[in-house]
Amino acid sequence: MTDTRLAELDALSTEELRDRAFNQARRRRDLKFFWNLLTLVTQSDKDTQDGWLGSLDATIDDAVALWREVTDHHYGENEPLVRAAFIDYLMSNP
């Protein structure tokens, strides 16, 4: 079953994986998921971490907006890592 699920997810486009993972993370209010993705595609510095994740006002919508601003859905050489993160999240959080 796991191999079948993995094959089904791997056959999806990166954007479809992103949509599914983001929808699931929003429902779960999983801010950590978004932060982990941002660390894959950005070089976070202390100011970014203190000013964004450290804020008590940080929300899932803020995370999604920051993700869109940072990546504009262009993952470059990090696309394999991002795809793997989406698939791992969807497999571990059915």
Side-chain angles (χ1 to χ4, degrees):
M1 179 69 150
T2 302
D3 290 338
T4 302
R5 176 86 169 127
L6 176 60
E8 289 171 358
L9 290 171
D10 195 39
L12 298 174
S13 70
T14 301
E15 289 309 302
E16 179 63 25
L17 289 170
R18 182 193 58 77
D19 287 343
R20 290 181 184 201
F22 275 32
N23 287 336
Q24 190 165 308
R26 279 188 189 120
R27 283 192 309 273
R28 295 172 182 259
R29 296 178 177 226
D30 191 349
L31 188 60
K32 183 178 177 182
F33 167 75
F34 292 104
W35 182 252
N36 288 338
L37 283 174
L38 286 171
T39 62
L40 288 175
V41 296
T42 63
Q43 294 297 325
S44 299
D45 62 9
K46 190 172 176 6
D47 292 336
T48 300
Q49 292 174 4
D50 289 344
W52 181 73
L53 187 62
S55 170
L56 294 176
D57 296 328
T59 67
I60 296 301
D61 290 336
D62 294 334
V64 171
L66 182 58
W67 170 263
R68 287 185 177 138
E69 181 179 321
V70 169
T71 65
D72 194 28
H73 302 284
H74 299 286
Y75 312 112
E77 66 186 36
N78 292 319
E79 185 165 354
L81 294 172
V82 171
R83 282 184 60 81
F86 292 153
I87 290 171
D88 182 59
Y89 188 75
L90 291 167
M91 298 245 341
S92 63
N93 296 289

